[in-house]
Amino acid sequence: MHKNQNLPFLAALSGMVSVQTGAAFAKTLFPVVGSEGVAALRLGISAIVLLIVFRPWTLRNSGISWVSIIMYGIVLALMNLLIYRAFAYIPVSIAISIEVMGPLVAALLTSRQKTDLLWILLSALGMFLLAAGDIHNVIDIRGVAYSIAAAFFWGLYVIVGRRVSGGGGRSVAAGMTIAALITVPLGTAQAGSALLIPGVLLTGLCVAILSSMLPFLLDMYSMRWLPSRVFGVLLSGSPAISALAGWIILREELSLTQCGGILAVMSACCGCALFARPRT
């Protein structure tokens, strides 16, 4: 057990804020390079930087299975491609509200306390209010379908990520490289030379830092010390953060019902942080 459990909690929270802020900035690039282009920029730039910094080829002496590393990379690629596709059809906050069901299911499956169910149910209520609160627009079923698929892979990310978390930054670098090998060809096919526009590259660098490099390194640290159930429930705060980021950056308006959903989700996160007990 970590000698100070507050640090893993803070790492998970900081990673969540960073990735949702990056997601909102990423959507601003959709008109120029499309969803696959944004995924290519995010993962491609991240892979280059992390390869230089962490030298993941040294993992061969760490005892971590390369099968797990490859699975981790594939999950990263699919999680990004699918959620960006969802962003193209529905608001960021609604897409994340659906996607976060993946970690919640992972948390439920690994739960060992009755009180954990309360936080999961409260989070589910918040997600419902966030998704159902938009009375002015018809929700595009394509966006919902992509979000559900992304939820599946985000749930796998929590599970697979713990298997490779012992490698720290090296695991992230290796997984990111595999993910980039999948997404960059797809993004290049969609966006072509638009990916090399200086303004696009600069924004892509910001998205890569906020959405990939910083949060995944924080996730590696927090997943190493937090049980999957606690980490998964903490991630339920993502809809609240994404809703605020979407409102500030993208001007995606929130209804009173959606604000109620944010409060429900944040209450669940606070309950988890205050009352959950790590499994020994």
Side-chain angles (χ1 to χ4, degrees):
M1 184 183 296
H2 198 279
K3 63 181 180 181
N4 186 351
Q5 282 295 322
N6 291 326
L7 292 179
F9 275 118
L10 288 175
L13 179 62
S14 299
M16 179 178 64
V17 172
S18 180
V19 76
Q20 300 310 328
T21 303
F25 277 114
K27 190 169 180 177
T28 65
L29 288 175
F30 279 22
V32 183
V33 297
S35 58
E36 280 84 0
V38 173
L41 284 170
R42 170 181 173 177
L43 297 176
I45 294 173
S46 299
I48 292 172
V49 174
L50 294 176
L51 276 173
I52 296 172
V53 174
F54 290 105
R55 299 179 299 167
W57 49 88
T58 60
L59 276 171
R60 64 179 181 272
N61 300 320
S62 67
I64 296 176
S65 167
W66 276 100
V67 173
S68 296
I69 291 291
I70 292 172
M71 289 178 59
Y72 177 64
I74 293 173
V75 166
L76 282 180
L78 293 174
M79 188 171 66
N80 280 275
L81 288 168
L82 290 165
I83 196 59
Y84 281 158
R85 274 294 186 94
F87 289 170
Y89 296 108
I90 57 179
V92 170
S93 59
I94 295 178
I96 297 298
S97 299
I98 298 171
E99 187 193 28
V100 81
M101 291 176 63
L104 283 175
V105 171
L108 179 61
L109 292 176
T110 58
S111 175
R112 292 296 182 271
Q113 287 185 264
K114 294 181 179 179
T115 52
D116 291 332
L117 183 59
L118 173 62
W119 314 131
I120 292 172
L121 291 175
L122 193 55
S123 297
L125 172 63
M127 289 187 292
F128 172 78
L129 293 175
L130 280 168
D134 191 352
I135 61 176
H136 301 293
N137 299 302
V138 176
I139 299 299
D140 195 313
I141 191 63
R142 292 171 295 180
V144 173
Y146 282 124
S147 298
I148 292 173
F152 173 77
F153 286 102
W154 199 358
L156 286 181
Y157 167 74
V158 175
I159 297 171
V160 177
R162 283 185 62 84
R163 295 180 181 177
V164 301
S165 61
R170 295 178 298 168
S171 293
V172 177
M176 202 73 68
T177 301
I178 294 168
L181 291 174
I182 297 172
T183 57
V184 169
L186 294 174
T188 302
Q190 183 181 60
S193 60
L195 293 172
L196 301 179
I197 298 174
V200 171
L201 283 174
L202 181 59
T203 306
L205 175 61
C206 294
V207 171
I209 293 172
L210 290 172
S211 297
S212 293
M213 288 183 273
L214 180 60
F216 287 133
L217 289 173
L218 291 171
D219 283 356
M220 282 291 105
Y221 172 74
S222 58
M223 283 191 290
R224 186 175 182 179
W225 298 107
L226 293 177
S228 293
R229 60 182 179 84
V230 177
F231 183 79
V233 177
L234 275 173
L235 286 179
S236 66
S238 296
I241 304 300
S242 66
L244 291 174
W247 176 58
I248 295 171
I249 298 170
L250 301 171
R251 302 303 181 192
E252 293 180 346
E253 295 182 357
L254 299 171
S255 67
L256 289 177
T257 303
Q258 288 174 317
C259 290
I262 289 175
L263 290 176
V265 171
M266 294 304 294
S267 297
C269 292
C270 290
C272 175
L274 291 173
F275 302 110
R277 293 293 182 267
R279 183 174 51 195
T280 57

